[in-house]
Structure formats: structure tokens, C-alpha cells
Amino acid sequence: MNDVEFLGLLEKELVVTLGCTEPMAIAYTAALAKTYVRGEVTSVNVFASANVIKNAMSVTIPGTKNSGVNLAAALGVIAGDCTKGLEVLEGLTLLDIEKAKAMIREERVTVEVAETSKKLYIEVILATPESFARVVVADEHTHVVLIQVDGQTLLNTLAEEEGDDNEETEYSFLSLDSIWEFVQAVNSKDLTIIKKAIELNKTIGLEGLFNEYGLQVGKTIKENIRKGLFADDLITQAMALTAGASDARMSGCPLPVMGNSGSGNQGISATLPVVAVGEKLGAAEDQLIRAVALSNLIAIYIKTKIGRLSALCGATASGTGASCGITYLLGGGKNEIQRAIQNMQGNVAGMFCDGAKAGCALKLSTCTSTAVQSAIMAMEGLAIQSTDGIIEQTAEQTIANLGRLATQGTKEVDRIILDIMVNKKVG
């Protein structure tokens, strides 16, 4: 077991992002393309996979009170700084937003579904009277695979990377056993990325609890604890803080979060339930840091099986990680953690992703509640039997079944969800 591999994995997969990662990735791609052209941009053509469009359609872009793939692309062109990665739109001004909206009104921005097998694919083509640029990002939110400028190809690894994510092979050292060994052995002083995740995500969680964002899921829970309608217990505290962070993030709050596997909500969901339970239990700092590291690593492990973007809600993966972290805080070992995984996957595995939006806070609160319940059941020696549903003899086998369900069984689900979203009549 190599600490360097795990620490490198955490540094790669836990990334600071401002706003939802799909519109930020679109803005990043557009901003990068802008650096290669000269003169005023006359047209912006965006081609994105269905999963990307689904997650970028309805979620509020920070600082704008608006949403849309076309707006994300226009803002990337007008004001994006690609050197900031997924914080590409940091520091937007009202003038930037007005210029982007004018570009859309003038019909200089088009959006189409890309014909690709990749679930994460963004292609932006910019034209000016003087030049042309085409940039493609695929598989990861800032992973550039193609750059073409004025007929010349500067980068092209797209053909080498055909197909879906290859993270399962890249992270072959990951297993439940290796994660457990790392969390037990690592010097917690080396887990600075985990400490930052706790700090950033708790800050936005508190912002969502005390201010009005989106559906106010977290704030409503907190207020009803005060009224006595909800108990002040592990579940409600964890639900409130986690949902509060999602409320704020999905409704345009300008605070950054630490994401997990390309998703801010997954970073929130893998971190804050564990933090809330740890604080309620009075856990020592070292124990809490290890528990949050365990949670995030198990979330990453599950995501390597189901894919970076999927028709399955990513909160089911991060919520499972959280359940493992909570189990650790309760004194559980490997056996109890495996039971927690079985309980989680026997409960929330069928939750679909119908795009990023304010309602995601409700899904996070559901998965958080289940995470705490699953952990407590695991500590009592209770787990769903291997005769039931997709549950197998071991948690590893159950996770493999989940991966099969996500990669083989949900392509039509994605198509139908996008069709519903695009064609619905609103108002």
C-alpha cells in the first residue's frame, strides 16, 4: 500500500469548484478556446453529451441568478479565466453578465447534443472575422483532448481515449481493504486536502442554513428542530448541514466548495454528514479527518465503477462514503463498514439523476438520512442479506453490481430524462 498513490488520488479528485461543475466545465472550455482566437467572437457553437447538458440546463450559475448551457459558454468567452480551472467564472461583474446575455440575444451562441459515446464531452467552436478555434474536453471536467486553431491541430488525444472513463483501470490499487489500510496508517497531518474540504464545505453549509437559497431544505430542517417538530439528533443535524450547502451551491451562492469525482454536491455529501455527526459526537480532530478521508475515498472508489457522470444520482455514491465515515466515527471496523455499504446500496441505489438543480438538496438530505441509519444498523450487526436484489456476499461485489447497473442498464434512462427536460412545457 502506497501512501503517495492515495494522497495523489485525493489531490486529483478533490477539486475546488465555484458553482455546479458542468456549466463551469462548459465555461472553462469556452474560455480556453477564447485564448486561441483574435478579434471579437462572432459565433460560439457548443456540442455536449446528454449528461453534461442535463446537468447544466437548470442549475444557477453563481452571481447571475440565471442558468443555461448557452449562458455558461457566453460567460466563458466574455469573462472566463481558464487558468482558474473550475473557478473559471470567479469575479463576474454585472457588465460581464449583460454582455453574455446580449451575445445570446444576438443568436451568436448555439447548443447541440454531441454524437458521442462519452458521458462527459464538451466541444466548443469559436469563430471571429480573423480566426477559428475548436477545443474539446472529455472524461474529466478540465481534461483537454483536442485543440485546433486556424486549421492546425495543436493537441489531439481524442482518438486514443475513445470510449467511456478509464478510471477503473487507472485506480486499480483502490479497494475497500486498501482504503481501510491507508486511512488507518496515514499521518493525518498529510491530509491537508481533507482539512480544506471540511473548511470550505462547512462554510457554505452554514451559509445555506442561515440564509434563503433555493428550496431552503437545510434551513427548513434547522428551523423545525428549533420548533420541536424534528428531533435534535444525528440524522437531522447531518441532513440540515448537508442540504444547506447544496441549497446554497445550486442556487448561485458565490462560495466555492471542495468537489469529489468532478461533483461539488458529491464533495458536500461525502464530507458534511461526517462532519455533522463528528461534531455531535464530540469526535477528536484526528478521528474526524480520517473519517472524512475514508468517506471521500469510498465515494471515489464507487464512482470509478459507475462513471463520472451517470443516470444514477451521484449522492448515492457519496452518501455511501458518508455512511462508512460515520460508521468509523461510531467505532466500526472493516466488517461494520461493509455492512453500511450493503445497507446503503439496498436502499438508495435506484435514485436517478434528473439534472443539477435546487432539488438536489432534497436528494442529498435523503441520502444523508439513510447514511446515518445504515451506519447505526451496521454497528448493531444488521445488514441486508445477499439474497436480496443487487446485494451480494461482499460489499465489493455489490459495488460491482451497481457499476453494471449504471454502465449497462441506464443509457435509455439518460435519453428519456433529457427528452423530458428539453420538451416539457413550463408555466
Side-chain angles (χ1 to χ4, degrees), residues 81-389:
D81 182 351
C82 60
T83 65
K84 294 182 179 180
L86 293 178
E87 295 178 272
V88 57
L89 296 183
E90 184 181 33
L92 282 180
T93 67
L94 290 176
L95 181 59
D96 295 330
I97 297 165
E98 285 307 311
K99 286 182 177 179
K101 289 180 177 179
M103 182 178 281
I104 293 169
R105 285 195 302 270
E106 293 162 8
E107 299 183 347
R108 286 191 278 159
V109 185
T110 65
V111 178
E112 295 182 43
V113 179
E115 294 184 6
T116 177
S117 63
K118 290 182 177 292
K119 293 187 176 181
L120 200 168
Y121 180 93
I122 302 164
E123 176 180 345
V124 174
I125 300 172
L126 299 187
T128 76
E130 304 171 49
S131 59
F132 162 95
R134 178 187 178 212
V135 174
V136 176
V137 162
D139 296 332
E140 298 172 18
H141 290 79
T142 56
H143 179 48
V144 182
V145 296
L146 180 71
I147 301 173
Q148 292 177 332
V149 180
D150 297 334
Q152 292 188 329
T153 299
L154 306 185
L155 170 71
N156 187 5
T157 60
L158 184 59
E160 301 168 18
E161 302 178 16
E162 281 303 320
D164 287 332
D165 301 344
N166 60 358
E167 291 166 350
E168 191 171 346
T169 302
E170 181 184 355
Y171 299 154
S172 57
F173 62 90
L174 272 183
S175 68
L176 295 181
D177 283 343
S178 69
I179 291 170
W180 173 257
E181 290 169 13
F182 168 76
V183 169
Q184 292 288 94
V186 68
N187 187 333
S188 62
K189 291 181 181 178
D190 293 332
L191 296 173
T192 54
I193 190 75
I194 297 297
K195 296 176 187 176
K196 188 173 182 180
I198 293 171
E199 177 186 347
L200 288 179
N201 294 353
K202 185 178 177 184
T203 297
I204 197 171
L206 294 174
E207 174 73 13
L209 285 184
F210 294 104
N211 295 284
E212 296 181 356
Y213 289 97
L215 291 175
Q216 302 178 48
V217 179
K219 190 171 187 288
T220 299
I221 294 170
K222 192 73 174 175
E223 288 178 352
N224 281 278
I225 293 173
R226 181 181 56 80
K227 292 177 183 177
L229 296 179
F230 288 161
D232 184 5
D233 58 20
L234 293 182
I235 288 179
T236 53
Q237 288 294 339
M239 289 171 66
L241 185 61
T242 305
S246 184
D247 282 325
R249 175 176 178 264
M250 305 308 276
S251 300
C253 175
L255 291 173
V257 304
M258 183 70 77
N260 179 303
S261 303
S263 166
N265 270 350
Q266 285 165 202
I268 288 168
S269 178
T271 301
L272 291 186
V274 186
V275 170
V277 169
E279 291 180 349
K280 189 75 172 173
L281 295 175
E285 182 184 21
D286 180 83
Q287 185 187 22
L288 178 60
I289 289 170
R290 292 180 192 278
V292 174
L294 173 68
S295 173
N296 276 277
L297 283 168
I298 286 180
I300 292 168
Y301 175 58
I302 296 173
K303 289 296 289 183
T304 66
K305 304 295 183 181
I306 68 176
R308 196 166 289 266
L309 292 180
S310 171
L312 298 182
C313 177
T316 63
S318 51
T320 300
S323 189
C324 296
I326 293 165
T327 301
Y328 182 86
L329 289 176
L330 293 171
K334 280 200 297 186
N335 289 337
E336 289 77 17
I337 284 168
Q338 294 218 21
R339 291 191 199 112
I341 292 170
Q342 303 284 54
N343 291 336
M344 284 293 294
Q345 294 310 317
N347 189 334
V348 297
M351 183 182 285
F352 289 140
C353 171
D354 57 340
K357 58 202 175 304
C360 289
L362 276 169
K363 293 188 178 184
L364 263 65
S365 69
T366 296
C367 289
T368 298
S369 171
T370 305
V372 178
Q373 183 182 12
S374 295
I376 290 172
M377 289 180 62
M379 293 300 295
E380 296 291 332
L382 300 171
I384 295 177
Q385 300 178 30
S386 60
T387 55
D388 297 354

Side-chain angles (χ1 to χ4, degrees), residues 39-58:
E40 183 180 358
V41 174
T42 53
S43 68
V44 182
N45 304 118
V46 181
F47 301 87
S49 56
N51 291 80
V52 169
I53 291 175
K54 180 179 72 174
N55 281 342
M57 280 180 62
S58 302

Side-chain angles (χ1 to χ4, degrees), residues 27-72:
Y28 168 83
T29 309
L32 180 59
K34 177 66 165 22
T35 64
Y36 290 100
V37 297
R38 303 176 306 280
E40 183 180 358
V41 174
T42 53
S43 68
V44 182
N45 304 118
V46 181
F47 301 87
S49 56
N51 291 80
V52 169
I53 291 175
K54 180 179 72 174
N55 281 342
M57 280 180 62
S58 302
V59 65
T60 303
I61 297 170
T64 69
K65 298 182 180 179
N66 296 108
S67 61
V69 175
N70 54 359
L71 181 59

